[in-house]
Amino acid sequence: MAGALAVAACGPKAQGQPVPADLPPLKAVAPVRVGACVQALHLGDPALSALLTREVSQLTPEWEMKMEYVVQPDGSFRFDAPDRIAAFARAHGMALLGHTLVWYAQAPDAFARLDEGRISFVDAYRNYILAVAGRYRGQVVGWDVVNEAVAEDGDGWRDSLWSQRLGAFEHIALAYRTAREADPHAALLLNDYNLEYYPRKRATFLKLAERLLASGAPLTGLGTQMHVAADIAPGEIGRSIRELASLGLPVHVSELDVSLTRSQNKLLSRDELRRRQAAVYAEAAEALMDLPASQRFAFTLWGLRDQDSWLKKENAADAPAPFDDAGRPKAGAAALVEAFRG
Ligand code: G3I
């Protein structure tokens, strides 16, 4: 028993041990909205819904507010699942972040094979944004209007059905103008990933944001997804967030998870990876907390429990989340509490 107490006394960061379950809720100690992604289907899981309501104050639909769910093969729209998520958020006093209106990765057939004798492509594009952003007007705190617009290596912007049909820059600017037309109050964010790994991508992302602002597009926030590995070099996350904040816009840590199995360094033990994972969670939270309060949009985890993470599909041995499968806080959760407490 003494040994166990000694281990626990070293503090959760040093071990891969589950930390005391009486850790305060993240949302209780964070001076910023703490979010999590969620699927409508999983709201029926009492353990998950209890953990969500205990720990977070904002939800992001993981996939059911995207075109892949909303747009049917015949071009009609379905909203049952996102409506369920919106209702859950409302019932529990949580903010809702719309994710995402325009994404290169999703161009449903209904758009790709549009009968332009019936409706122009630009009108179909606008109608979609007006319909979806209009439906959740007054329910969402903001939208990831455009997701992942920058090329993988940072050399320019991504090619997509949207850019081909409406123009590389124009389809992006039009999306923000149309989202604002649909919802006069929502924050309108530009969201992307690997910004902490690739300074060139980060620079291109910032240049796109500056060009949008210069064009008068109503861009009002920047989302950095932060799907990282536990062995990311210490300091990279902090550097990235500080640089993203240089435009003066609010910054959203929008999809944070810290993979153990995606780590490049295969010589690190599981315990060392867990230790580093906790330190990475802390660095991300501290970096956002270091920004002026007006620039802290939210801090969103892409999966509260390990079992909820998309990364489990890639590698079942991964354990990227701050809570374990039973919803018990891990060292990452304890590190977040410490970081939020400052
Ligand atoms: O639940 C349905 C199932 O009923 C159906 O049989 C099956 C086959 O179609 O699909 C299942 O839904 C899948 C859903 O994940 C839930 O697992 C969708 O096909 C699949 O496309 C969806 O993948 C999501 C992916 O984005 C694409 O939308 C992931 O959950 C989600 O974690 C991932 O999230 C993205 C962010 O939006 C953007 N940043 C990167 C991040 C990770 O890729």
Side-chain angles (χ1 to χ4, degrees), residues 159-178:
D159 184 39
S160 68
L161 174 69
W162 320 118
S163 65
Q164 288 155 19
R165 302 296 294 274
L166 299 173
F169 179 76
E170 186 43 35
H171 87 275
I172 300 173
L174 178 61
Y176 284 88
R177 295 196 301 268
T178 308

Side-chain angles (χ1 to χ4, degrees), residues 252-271:
H252 181 201
V253 173
S254 58
E255 304 182 16
L256 178 60
D257 43 34
V258 185
S259 171
L260 301 180
T261 52
R262 282 188 166 192
S263 295
Q264 298 297 316
N265 183 338
K266 300 304 179 189
L267 300 177
L268 298 173
S269 71
R270 186 83 172 181
D271 272 356

Side-chain angles (χ1 to χ4, degrees), residues 39 62-63 66 68 99 106 148 225 255 302 313:
Q39 300 180 32
E62 185 165 10
W63 71 289
K66 296 169 181 171
E68 68 175 307
H99 175 79
Q106 296 191 0
E148 301 175 5
Q225 294 178 15
E255 304 182 16
W302 211 246
K313 290 192 188 101

Side-chain angles (χ1 to χ4, degrees), residues 132-140 143 181-185:
V132 179
R135 183 181 187 90
Y136 296 104
R137 171 177 172 167
Q139 299 184 62
V140 297
W143 275 98
E181 197 181 323
D183 187 332
H185 305 299

Side-chain angles (χ1 to χ4, degrees), residues 14 71 103 295:
V71 182
W103 190 12
Q295 285 193 265

